[in-house]
Amino acid sequence: MFPSSQTLNSAFKGTQKPFIAASPAEKGGIELNSAKYFYTCAAGGVLACGLTHFALTPLDMLKCRMQVNKSLYSGVFDGFKKVASAEGFKGLYLG
């Protein structure tokens, strides 16, 4: 019913690229513990963690306010609307 692994391996032979990063010995690799390595790691951290926190901080602030006073907002979108109109864009990032 299903094709064998040998059939699949021969069908896709030569079309697959490795999923892992290049080693330092390969062309284009980054030497471990070099300045380029640390800059690349820092850029990855800013992109992954920084953007996530930037996007989720307002939602967490609103969640906390809704837990303290349930009648303050009728929902998430209502909460964003009221906070943004009362406190401005900076209000979304206040504690």
Side-chain angles (χ1 to χ4, degrees), residues 9-77:
N9 287 342
S10 64
F12 294 106
K13 190 173 186 176
T15 60
Q16 295 175 334
K17 294 182 179 180
F19 187 67
I20 57 174
S23 71
E26 294 178 22
K27 185 178 181 180
I30 299 174
E31 184 180 342
L32 192 62
N33 296 330
S34 67
K36 185 176 180 181
Y37 173 79
F38 288 110
Y39 291 137
T40 305
C41 289
V46 167
L47 288 175
C49 199
L51 293 176
T52 303
H53 281 87
F54 179 76
L56 294 180
T57 297
L59 185 62
D60 187 55
M61 177 274 309
L62 193 59
K63 175 202 60 128
C64 292
R65 288 186 182 185
M66 291 175 77
Q67 286 177 335
V68 171
N69 188 356
K70 294 180 184 185
S71 63
L72 194 58
Y73 310 116
S74 63
V76 175
F77 294 112

